[in-house]
Amino acid sequence: RIFAAFFAIPQQPTCPVARMLRLRLDVRFAWASSSASRRCLSSTPAKPKPFKKILIANRGEIACRVAKTARRLGIETVAVYSEADARAVHVKMCDEAICVGPAASKLSYLNVDAIIGAMKSTGAEAVHPGYGFLSENASFVERLKKEGLVFIGPDSHAIHAMGDKIESKKLAIAAGVNTIPGFMGVLKDEAEAVKVAREIGYPVMIKASAGGGGKGMRIAWNDAEAAEGFRLSKAEAASSFGDDRLFVEKYLDQPRHIEIQIVADAHGNVVYLPERECSIQRRNQKVIEEAPSMCLDEATWRAMGEQACSLARAVQYKSAGTVEMMVDANRKFYFLEMNTRLQVEHPVTEMVTGLDLVEIMLRVAAGERLPLTQADVKANGWAFEARVYAEDPLRGFLPSIGSLQRYRIPDSTIVTKPGESMRVDTGVEEGSEISIHYDPMIAKLITHGPDRQTAAAAMRRALDSFVIRGVGCNINFMRDVMAHPRFLEGRLTTGFIPEEFPDGYHGHVLKAQEASELAAVAAILNMQHEQQARILLPSEGSYIGGKPSVGRAALVSVMSSDVIGQKDLVVTIEAGHGGAHEAVKRELRILASKPKLGQVISSEFEVRVEGEATMRLKAELPSLDGLVSVSVRTVSLDPESTSVPYGSLLGDTSRVVQVVQRLSQGYVLSIAGTPFKVTARTPRNEALAAYMPAKIEPDHSRELIAPMPGRLHSIAVAAGDKIVAGQELCVMEAMKMQNVLRAIKDGVVKRVVAKVGDTVSVDQTILELE
């Protein structure tokens, strides 16, 4: 405990060895330290370990997640990695590691011969596939069986039956499960896709038969979209699953996406767990999940659970699995698909049940019975999961690659209310590379509380405290979703994102009070840095245990008056990179109270914004990660007011603001996950700033540039072609997703610079216009 506590000190180790140890501890203790109060299977009497050694045929956060449970059970672990992942976190977390090929997934993580070879060379008895890659590959399971090795998951016949979306739907009907109307054949071409879609009636969903994870899926509302959806889904399915078969089913407008987690053993026992709500989706890929759902009553949950178990029994299922369903406004539910693997969102179920689903998978694979019956299943509180992806919401959620220059997960101090807990599942560390080869997930942030409101508030605080630099990420978008009135009311459907953000996401829009508070934070930083410049300490401060040390300057605070400085400032707030927020100004006066005894910098301030109530704020110096925790009490100090008594408390809030960058006359500050450029000038300097020349941005209107790194899958135009706004120009493949680039205006193609198959970098020219 002392060792862990030492490395929990929020300051950057200077010793390389200490730094390396801390990074490793951050990953290993990210869940255990914040969820110690949660009931879990590890609290039951010790059982013999199911296996001596297992291989984890995956990478990233899920490989780390499986390794964590294996370590707790005393099971040795073997990691596999591609050449691109040689220094990845999951490689460090396991006891052994074997390289299985180059960066391309089909040559490494999908290389069955290499995976089995690694198992034999290391003596691994079983393999856990995680999710994705080989997790739903029936032929892989059959090969393992022939080799005398164990697959930690269902048998091959269950994977084959449920992995084929067409066959699974037929089995569901036979098992008495409600299904969505559709065409159960395989589409041959675009023409047949349009014909079948017309027969079913728009809107329809074009889906990959072997699909999952939102890939190989398109919604079509007309003939043109059906044709395009067929073409893009077919290419995406082939790239992601090696199977380009597609089918069509009716798209339910305004449904909720709700799934039932089941666990089953080889002894005929099947149990369903509390439902998960997965309606917050973008391009059919889940963004935020929660458990349980606000829309289900117990009778509906039990009916869904019984049908899910019936389907599992029909295919003699064993291990953990998920039956996904669509639920309409009348609580009528329809089978969507069954995923024969551990789901990405499994942590929310673990948080509300106290179960370790990975441990259950391990024990079932070893032939043990389930450790619970249906009567034991109870939901405890509420949990949310937010998927943190390396993508830029301000650029249409395009993938972002690069190095994690700074990476700090939220610490346990943000969950201080009774019943709150937090968990971070991650597979990266500071310095990790986010590449084009794999899924762009950085981490999964999970919070739990006694009720939905508490769990949501904990999630917002955690997102505010998550520090990621070097790549774009979607924290700003998720933070706004978590604070959206409709979301908080629980009025969710799979159309939430397109309905609430019809023109895309343009960053957080500051409310008037938020803008004033952000201006006050900038003024506080300005005052604190000015104080630092006047005392005999280094500019970054002198720290012991993360706090300012006592020095000769502390004597100044003892001898000073209550107010040791005041300043008039004009604070301008502008949108950060890619944002569309209009600039706002606040004229204010800041008064700094003398530092407390033992401190050298003021931490209590009074800020008077022109025309607004007075704010009394408390804020220490930013942490070494750039976090500023601010408490704000808004009070009425207008002696002439007749409506509000003098000294009345008008508001009491707390915020976490991130100092992203220090500028010559201000800062880049992030609030609610969105960065803003904030300048703080004296009135005189503000007047002079009007004479400074504005920077002219380069004109790219006559060329199509790559908005992300990736491979050119197709080019739809040639030199001399006339184009119109909205027309498809090319398709780029990045992180296994097909991204259509369209013309933003009418014109004529002058020259096509790139060619199909090229790997292009961000901002590289693809074609030029006249």
Side-chain angles (χ1 to χ4, degrees):
R1 290 179 180 175
I2 294 173
F3 185 71
F6 173 76
F7 282 100
I9 293 173
Q11 63 181 50
Q12 191 73 21
T14 54
C15 170
V17 175
R19 176 176 170 77
M20 178 182 69
L21 286 170
R22 179 192 172 181
L23 289 172
R24 191 156 181 173
L25 279 168
D26 281 344
V27 175
R28 292 197 172 190
F29 289 102
W31 177 15
S33 63
S34 62
S35 59
S37 63
R38 305 279 302 133
R39 178 174 61 86
C40 63
L41 289 181
S42 60
S43 63
T44 59
K47 296 180 180 179
K49 55 187 178 184
F51 300 101
K52 181 180 178 182
K53 182 185 288 188
I54 66 170
L55 181 141
I56 304 170
N58 217 298
R59 64 180 300 280
E61 62 85 16
I62 188 57
C64 296
R65 162 71 188 91
V66 174
K68 183 193 72 64
T69 290
R71 187 186 311 111
R72 177 172 62 76
L73 297 176
I75 301 172
E76 296 179 34
T77 53
V78 179
V80 293
Y81 64 93
S82 69
E83 293 171 357
D85 276 342
R87 302 181 65 182
V89 172
H90 77 278
V91 175
K92 302 175 187 178
M93 286 191 68
C94 293
D95 300 295
E96 300 176 60
I98 302 292
C99 182
V100 288
S105 297
K106 65 181 180 181
L107 301 177
S108 52
Y109 295 106
L110 292 173
N111 187 336
V112 172
D113 290 335
I115 299 294
I116 292 178
M119 293 182 70
K120 290 183 174 180
S121 66
T122 58
E125 308 159 75
V127 56
H128 196 298
Y131 51 76
F133 294 133
L134 296 171
S135 63
E136 294 178 288
N137 188 313
S139 61
F140 174 57
V141 179
E142 292 169 359
R143 172 79 182 277
L144 288 170
K145 188 175 182 179
K146 291 179 181 177
E147 299 284 351
L149 302 170
V150 177
F151 180 74
I152 303 170
D155 291 332
S156 60
H157 67 269
I159 294 176
H160 178 76
M162 291 295 103
D164 188 312
K165 300 301 182 286
I166 297 173
E167 293 303 316
S168 68
K169 196 163 183 178
K170 294 177 181 178
L171 282 168
I173 294 171
V177 179
N178 304 341
T179 59
I180 302 172
F183 174 69
M184 291 297 98
V186 178
L187 297 175
K188 298 176 183 177
D189 50 34
E190 292 183 24
E192 186 177 32
V194 172
K195 177 178 178 293
V196 170
R198 286 178 177 175
E199 292 172 353
I200 295 173
Y202 290 109
V204 298
M205 174 74 83
I206 299 173
K207 301 175 67 174
S209 180
K215 298 180 176 66
M217 299 172 64
R218 290 293 189 282
I219 300 170
W221 294 82
N222 53 50
D223 291 353
E225 291 182 2
E228 180 182 81
F230 175 88
R231 178 168 50 84
L232 295 176
S233 295
K234 191 176 183 68
E236 207 164 87
S239 173
S240 298
F241 316 114
D243 183 344
D244 64 359
R245 290 176 302 142
L246 303 177
F247 69 103
V248 180
E249 64 185 16
K250 181 69 177 176
Y251 174 69
L252 298 179
D253 198 14
Q254 302 297 314
R256 286 178 180 256
H257 186 136
I258 296 178
E259 56 191 32
I260 301 294
Q261 175 76 59
I262 60 107
V263 287
D265 61 27
H267 306 280
N269 302 304
V270 187
V271 172
Y272 58 90
L273 303 179
E275 76 278 4
R276 295 189 290 253
E277 171 96 49
C278 306
S279 298
I280 303 299
Q281 303 178 6
R282 190 189 65 79
R283 287 183 63 177
N284 304 306
Q285 190 163 23
K286 300 161 190 172
V287 178
I288 295 173
E289 301 96 352
E290 61 183 292
S293 168
M294 289 186 71
C295 89
L296 294 194
D297 55 18
E298 184 171 352
T300 307
W301 166 59
R302 293 202 178 278
M304 293 173 71
E306 291 299 333
Q307 287 198 13
C309 289
S310 295
L311 183 60
R313 292 188 184 98
V315 294
Q316 299 177 322
Y317 196 87
K318 66 174 185 178
S319 193
T322 298
V323 177
E324 303 196 10
M325 300 191 183
M326 305 302 278
V327 182
D328 67 19
N330 299 314
R331 295 200 183 107
K332 291 182 179 179
F333 56 90
Y334 305 91
F335 171 74
L336 186 62
E337 63 184 16
M338 183 176 186
N339 291 312
T340 56
R341 55 172 168 80
L342 192 66
Q343 289 281 84
V344 177
E345 59 272 19
H346 76 274
V348 292
T349 298
E350 293 183 325
M351 295 293 267
V352 298
T353 62
L355 298 171
D356 184 332
L357 294 178
V358 172
E359 180 176 353
I360 291 178
M361 294 180 73
L362 289 166
R363 295 197 178 280
V364 166
E368 295 184 25
R369 293 178 178 273
L370 290 180
L372 76 165
T373 65
Q374 193 62 57
D376 298 324
V377 176
K378 295 179 181 177
N380 171 28
W382 215 282
F384 285 98
E385 175 183 281
R387 302 187 185 190
V388 181
Y389 283 109
E391 60 186 14
D392 190 349
L394 301 179
R395 300 183 69 183
F397 294 90
L398 293 174
S400 177
I401 68 167
S403 174
L404 289 173
Q405 299 170 3
R406 169 114 12 199
Y407 182 71
R408 292 292 185 274
I409 64 175
D411 61 44
S412 58
T413 60
I414 69 155
V415 285
T416 57
K417 296 182 180 179
E420 285 186 340
S421 58
M422 181 192 70
R423 163 178 166 180
V424 181
D425 284 10
T426 185
V428 297
E429 62 189 3
E430 195 166 285
S432 292
E433 288 288 330
I434 306 298
S435 74
I436 65 172
H437 301 293
Y438 311 113
D439 187 270
M441 182 181 288
I442 296 174
K444 297 183 308 196
L445 180 59
I446 308 101
T447 57
H448 176 267
D451 53 58
R452 190 174 190 268
Q453 182 179 0
T454 303
M459 177 61 77
R460 291 193 294 272
R461 295 197 305 274
L463 289 169
D464 287 344
S465 303
F466 210 136
V467 179
I468 297 176
R469 305 281 184 269
V471 298
C473 71
N474 64 335
I475 284 179
N476 51 354
F477 176 69
M478 292 192 295
R479 178 60 170 78
D480 271 5
V481 170
M482 291 297 303
H484 196 287
R486 177 178 162 185
F487 180 87
L488 296 177
E489 293 169 10
R491 295 186 290 110
L492 310 181
T493 71
T494 55
F496 178 93
I497 290 177
E499 289 166 7
E500 299 302 326
F501 304 92
D503 300 320
Y505 180 70
H506 304 292
H508 181 68
V509 177
L510 292 172
K511 298 180 177 65
Q513 182 61 28
E514 279 183 311
S516 295
E517 291 175 9
L518 189 60
V521 170
I524 288 172
L525 292 170
N526 181 280
M527 181 68 78
Q528 288 178 329
H529 288 145
E530 189 173 280
Q531 289 179 349
Q532 282 183 315
R534 293 180 179 179
I535 60 179
L536 300 177
L537 285 176
S539 60
E540 68 276 10
S542 180
Y543 285 81
I544 297 177
K547 291 185 175 294
S549 64
V550 178
R552 186 169 15 171
L555 296 175
V556 176
S557 68
V558 178
M559 299 165 56
S560 302
S561 60
D562 287 342
V563 177
I564 63 168
Q566 64 179 26
K567 196 172 187 181
D568 291 332
L569 292 171
V570 178
V571 179
T572 304
I573 304 172
E574 302 173 272
H577 169 71
H581 198 285
E582 294 184 1
V584 296
K585 288 191 178 184
R586 293 291 189 270
E587 297 181 9
L588 57 83
R589 171 169 292 182
I590 179 170
L591 295 86
S593 300
K594 71 177 183 180
K596 295 178 181 178
L597 184 62
Q599 294 185 339
V600 296
I601 300 295
S602 296
S603 59
E604 296 185 1
F605 304 85
E606 188 171 285
V607 176
R608 302 168 184 169
V609 177
E610 184 71 27
E612 298 182 11
T614 300
M615 289 181 284
R616 289 175 176 167
L617 305 97
K618 293 183 180 180
E620 302 288 347
L621 280 168
S623 70
L624 295 184
D625 295 325
L627 299 179
V628 181
S629 296
V630 188
S631 64
V632 185
R633 291 171 62 87
T634 306
V635 296
S636 174
L637 297 180
D638 184 0
E640 299 180 1
S641 175
T642 57
S643 58
V644 181
Y646 185 85
S648 296
L649 181 64
L650 305 178
D652 190 352
T653 61
S654 60
R655 294 192 183 278
V656 176
V657 176
Q658 295 189 22
V659 183
V660 179
Q661 184 182 357
R662 188 173 178 180
L663 308 174
S664 60
Q665 297 187 71
Y667 311 87
V668 176
L669 302 179
S670 177
I671 185 171
T674 296
F676 293 90
K677 179 183 177 182
V678 186
T679 56
R681 304 186 182 102
T682 63
R684 173 61 176 164
N685 287 344
E686 177 68 15
L688 294 174
Y691 297 98
M692 296 294 291
K695 181 181 178 180
I696 300 176
E697 298 293 336
D699 180 15
H700 293 294
S701 63
R702 294 184 179 276
E703 57 185 348
L704 175 68
I705 60 175
M708 62 194 150
R711 186 180 69 87
L712 274 177
H713 180 268
S714 64
I715 299 176
V717 295
D721 286 357
K722 293 182 178 181
I723 60 173
V724 296
Q727 179 180 335
E728 177 185 323
L729 300 179
C730 67
V731 176
M732 285 187 64
E733 182 179 305
M735 295 176 175
K736 301 181 181 179
M737 297 295 284
Q738 304 285 320
N739 301 275
V740 179
L741 305 187
R742 303 181 185 278
I744 61 172
K745 66 177 184 178
D746 297 351
V748 177
V749 178
K750 178 180 179 182
R751 182 168 70 105
V752 178
V753 179
K755 62 182 183 297
V756 172
D758 282 357
T759 298
V760 296
S761 58
V762 65
D763 292 336
Q764 181 175 331
T765 301
I766 298 173
L767 58 85
E768 297 174 352
L769 304 177
E770 292 182 358

